[in-house]
């Protein structure tokens, strides 16, 4: 789960250098309620632009929409300028046409992961049992359920904050959220019944984690980013055990990078799944799709 980029972000990009002298200190006190909307917007834009936000105007509009008062808007802009992800500031991210609640410390869903959802829907349009593994906010599971209709939905993550957040996002779909390490978190009754197993595993190599943008490195859980030596440790674990949980014809979908894709496909094939690679150049998205043939 690498950090957002301009092409994959569910919202405007982050400050170019959140570690630079904070613009938060320069946020002026909120004007009185007599301030015009345009002047309030201009102040926020100036603060965000000063912090290096590439899409300062768009972010200012989102903050003004989310804030209940001018004071709250100024505070939100200050927190954004200090390097907090925009989604954590406003409390939500747009994903596959849904507004997904994103709480502090929870992995922010990336726009490119919408491609994984689309691939799952194409591979199993009549799925009735769906699992969102390494679920983070539960965005993938919520998006799948919203598109499929009546499904049995389960989401699981090793991070307690993520599970609590996912529980909120999948509640309207009758989903169940579970805490634990990969498949150990799931009810045993799901073995051999899963039609779609979506696993947005961490895939940043350990040595590259310090190179991530500060907003990901400092504000998202390491368990959602660090994929081990070559970035594929968790992917291999998921691929090895997935055939025991998939229904005949069920599919496992995992996001990865272009560089890691050949090794990821090999891991799927080694586990007995029929594997293929799907990609979207515009989103720079790469998804391995593995199907249990029998």
């Amino acid at each position: 789960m690498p950090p957002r980029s301009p092409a994959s972000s569910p919202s405007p990009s982050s400050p170019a250098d959140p570690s630079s002298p904070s613009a938060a200190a320069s946020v002026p006190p909120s004007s009185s309620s007599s301030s015009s909307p345009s002047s309030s917007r201009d102040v926020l834009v100036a603060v965000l632009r000063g912090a290096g936000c590439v899409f300062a105007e768009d972010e200012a509009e989102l903050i003004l929409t989310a804030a209940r008062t001018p004071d709250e808007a100024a505070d939100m802009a200050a927190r954004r300028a200090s390097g907090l992800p925009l989604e954590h500031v406003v409390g939500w991210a747009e994903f596959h046409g849904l507004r997904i609640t994103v709480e502090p410390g929870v992995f922010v869903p990336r726009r490119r992961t919408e491609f994984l959802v689309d691939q799952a829907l194409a591979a199993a349009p009549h799925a009735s049992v769906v699992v969102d593994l390494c679920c983070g906010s539960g965005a993938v599971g919520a998006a799948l359920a919203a598109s499929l209709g009546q499904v049995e939905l389960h989401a699981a993550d090793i991070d307690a904050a993520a599970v609590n957040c996912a529980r909120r996002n999948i509640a309207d779909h009758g989903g169940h959220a579970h805490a634990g390490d990969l498949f150990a978190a799931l009810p045993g009754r799901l073995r051999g019944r899963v039609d779609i197993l979506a696993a947005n595993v961490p895939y940043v190599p350990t040595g590259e984690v310090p190179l991530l943008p500060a907003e990901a490195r400092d504000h998202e859980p390491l368990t959602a980013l660090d994929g081990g030596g070559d970035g594929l440790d968790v992917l291999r674990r998921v691929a090895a055990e997935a055939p025991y949980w998939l229904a005949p014809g069920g599919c496992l979908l995992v996001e990865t990078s272009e560089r890691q894709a050949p090794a990821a496909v090999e891991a799927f094939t080694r586990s007995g799944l029929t594997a293929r690679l799907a990609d979207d150049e515009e989103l720079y998205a790469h998804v391995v799709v593995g199907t249990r043939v029998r």
Side-chain angles (χ1 to χ4, degrees):
M1 300 181 184
R4 291 170 296 289
S5 65
S8 63
S9 175
S11 64
S13 181
S14 63
D17 184 10
S19 63
S20 62
S22 174
S26 66
V27 179
S30 164
S31 325
S32 68
S33 57
S34 62
S35 296
S36 69
S38 60
S39 64
S40 296
R41 179 182 179 279
D42 291 344
V43 169
L44 298 186
V45 169
V47 169
L48 296 170
R49 186 176 290 132
C53 295
V54 178
F55 300 103
E57 292 82 0
D58 293 333
E59 296 200 13
E61 290 291 349
L62 285 172
I63 287 173
L64 285 170
T65 300
R68 291 164 294 186
T69 66
D71 284 336
E72 186 175 25
D75 178 68
M76 292 171 75
R79 286 187 287 131
R80 175 61 179 141
S82 71
L84 197 67
L86 176 64
E87 297 83 359
H88 288 167
V89 171
V90 299
W92 59 273
E94 182 180 348
F95 184 81
H96 212 265
L98 302 177
R99 180 173 288 198
I100 300 295
T101 296
V102 182
E103 296 170 351
V106 174
F107 182 80
V108 176
R110 275 56 166 169
R111 181 180 164 226
R112 64 171 158 265
T113 307
E114 295 177 347
F115 182 65
L116 184 152
V117 173
D118 291 335
Q119 289 298 306
L121 294 172
H126 305 295
S128 59
V129 180
V130 174
V131 170
D132 182 0
L133 205 60
C134 302
C135 66
S137 65
V140 170
L144 287 170
S147 295
L148 290 167
Q150 198 70 24
V151 296
E152 181 180 350
L153 172 63
H154 297 265
D157 202 288
I158 197 170
D159 182 77
V163 173
N164 288 334
C165 186
R167 185 172 289 115
R168 294 180 60 186
N169 284 315
I170 65 176
D172 288 345
H173 306 285
H176 308 276
H178 312 279
D181 185 17
L182 298 180
F183 297 97
L186 299 177
R189 61 183 174 79
L190 291 179
R191 281 179 173 269
R193 296 183 52 231
V194 180
D195 299 308
I196 293 177
L197 175 56
N200 195 16
V201 301
Y203 57 93
V204 179
T206 301
E208 297 179 19
V209 170
L211 306 178
L212 294 175
E215 69 167 10
R217 194 178 64 240
D218 297 342
H219 300 286
E220 295 182 312
L222 185 62
T223 53
L225 301 170
D226 190 343
D230 66 351
L232 298 177
D233 285 1
V234 182
L235 182 147
R236 292 190 182 94
R237 290 178 58 201
V238 171
E241 198 170 344
Y244 302 103
W245 294 84
L246 291 173
C251 58
L252 165 67
L253 301 98
V254 177
E255 186 176 282
T256 189
S257 71
E258 181 178 20
R259 178 184 62 182
Q260 297 163 318
V265 170
E266 181 183 352
F268 275 47
T269 302
R270 194 182 307 122
S271 74
L273 298 173
T274 299
R276 64 179 177 86
L277 177 66
D279 64 86
D280 185 299
E281 293 185 3
E282 182 180 348
L283 294 175
Y284 199 63
H286 303 81
V287 173
V288 183
V289 183
T291 304
R292 179 188 164 190
V293 178
R294 63 180 189 277

